Amino acid sequence: MSACLGAPTRRHLPGNALHLPLLTAAPLVLALLAVGVASADLPSAAIRLSAADAARAGSTIQLVRRTVGGTTLVEVQPAAASNLLAISADGGQVALADQVGELSGSLTIAHADGSQLRVQLPGLLAAGFAVDGSWLAVVDGRGALWQVDAATGRAAQLADGPFLGSPIAAADGSLMLLSVPSVEAPYRSRLVRVAPSTGVSTPLSGDELVYAAFPLADGSVAVVAHEPGRTVVRRVAPDVSQLLADLGPGAINVAVAPDGREIAYELAGRGVFLLDPSGGSPRSLGAGSEPCFAPDAAALLVRRGEGTATLALDGSVLVTTQRPAGIAGSAGCLP
């Protein structure tokens, strides 16, 4: 699954970047040459490291997984200067970028066994794993969409775009993301579904300025969009567009639970709030930012300082981390 699908004016994009461990490209390549681990069977732009190779090169990345109720938290250690783009549904792989938004960038796929695959691409804005974790969809620095094989690093461009937001993959392999006029000036952002086999985009919503989207359990999509003076959440399905909530002008970093029964959002300087769209007033969950629902909709992860807190829906703290962490299988957001 993927990191946040959203436009840069309402979420801290690209990819809600977290600061996680990775070396910059040049020192790592030199270190790899020194230990002799470049593999001849991989494309010239991809380098594979075993856990031992990574340790010798000084670029060890560990995935620490813990179960909290029905939620799997994935923490990447040690925390250093890099960006977490995506976590696979099983929590066994993460995608990281050495830098975001540049003309050239290195994508690292780190595995739970300590091995890594590093792929050079023409910039990196966002990424999302396929449902089975066998490949990733990647948005490069120009907004073009790529498919990267998670085992070999082989990359093929799927569509020119330009796109923004982390791609969300469906079971059939299609991808949901935002189509924009340009990466530099995304004054319009429309929600589309892209067929990897053809690269053709199909609009999913009539909204002109979409910030985020979340697949719902009933097959519809919760769309977070801006309208003059307010942010709204709609449930969108073929021939259906239903207003779920009007969050007013100040809501940012909106997340919708997979069952559609709760909406979480951030108010600047006031923390995170939870709203039942069927009625009632918003409830404060206390300090935090960038909320993200667990796949079972029973817990919520928020950023607090340099770490995270996993909350029950009543606001009680289930577990905290001192480093950034993400929830495996949470489509649509990654705190």
Side-chain angles (χ1 to χ4, degrees):
M1 294 299 179
S2 70
C4 163
L5 172 63
T9 54
R10 301 297 283 186
R11 296 191 61 109
H12 307 300
L13 292 189
N16 269 343
L18 300 185
H19 298 292
L20 296 168
L22 210 58
L23 299 179
T24 56
L28 179 58
V29 171
L30 291 175
L32 296 179
L33 293 176
V35 298
V37 299
S39 299
D41 62 331
L42 294 176
S44 59
I47 299 172
R48 182 184 292 132
L49 295 83
S50 67
D53 293 333
R56 286 193 292 270
S59 61
T60 295
I61 300 173
Q62 293 182 318
L63 308 187
V64 179
R65 295 179 289 179
R66 66 175 80 176
T67 300
V68 182
T71 296
T72 300
L73 295 180
V74 181
E75 184 179 350
V76 183
Q77 296 181 352
S82 190
N83 304 282
L84 176 62
L85 299 181
I87 301 175
S88 64
D90 65 359
Q93 302 176 90
V94 300
L96 305 109
D98 61 341
Q99 55 187 351
V100 171
E102 301 294 331
L103 295 179
S104 180
S106 186
L107 170 73
T108 293
I109 304 169
H111 300 269
D113 64 3
S115 63
Q116 301 171 27
L117 183 68
R118 193 174 183 92
V119 184
Q120 198 70 22
L121 290 167
L124 285 165
L125 294 180
F129 280 96
V131 173
D132 65 1
S134 63
W135 55 273
L136 298 90
V138 177
V139 179
D140 73 14
R142 306 162 299 165
L145 181 64
W146 293 73
Q147 185 178 55
V148 178
D149 189 288
T152 67
R154 297 186 186 280
Q157 186 171 324
L158 300 178
D160 291 333
F163 301 105
L164 278 181
S166 297
I168 298 175
D172 64 1
S174 63
L175 299 161
M176 187 168 65
L177 66 172
L178 301 179
S179 175
V180 295
S182 74
V183 169
E184 294 79 12
Y187 58 84
R188 185 179 67 247
S189 52
R190 291 174 171 162
L191 183 65
V192 299
R193 190 177 300 280
V194 179
S197 60
T198 63
V200 174
S201 299
T202 303
L204 296 179
S205 164
D207 294 285
E208 293 287 320
L209 194 53
V210 176
Y211 296 129
F214 302 86
L216 299 180
D218 64 2
S220 63
V221 178
V223 176
V224 182
H226 176 71
E227 294 181 354
R230 65 177 187 166
T231 294
V232 299
V233 182
R234 303 185 193 281
R235 186 181 73 85
V236 175
D239 303 318
V240 173
S241 180
Q242 174 193 7
L243 181 66
L244 293 180
D246 179 349
L247 302 179
I252 60 173
N253 293 337
V254 179
V256 181
D259 60 9
R261 295 180 179 178
E262 301 285 353
I263 297 172
Y265 59 93
E266 179 186 346
L267 291 176
R270 297 176 57 189
V272 173
F273 290 78
L274 195 65
L275 175 68
D276 179 348
S278 66
S281 300
R283 295 179 286 121
S284 173
L285 297 182
S289 62
E290 301 176 30
C292 179
F293 282 99
D296 65 1
L300 189 72
L301 187 142
V302 300
R303 291 193 68 181
R304 287 183 174 173
E306 294 300 315
T308 64
T310 303
L311 311 176
L313 297 189
D314 63 3
S316 59
V317 177
L318 301 176
V319 66
T320 61
T321 71
Q322 298 305 308
R323 298 181 177 91
I327 297 179
S330 57
C333 64
L334 182 66

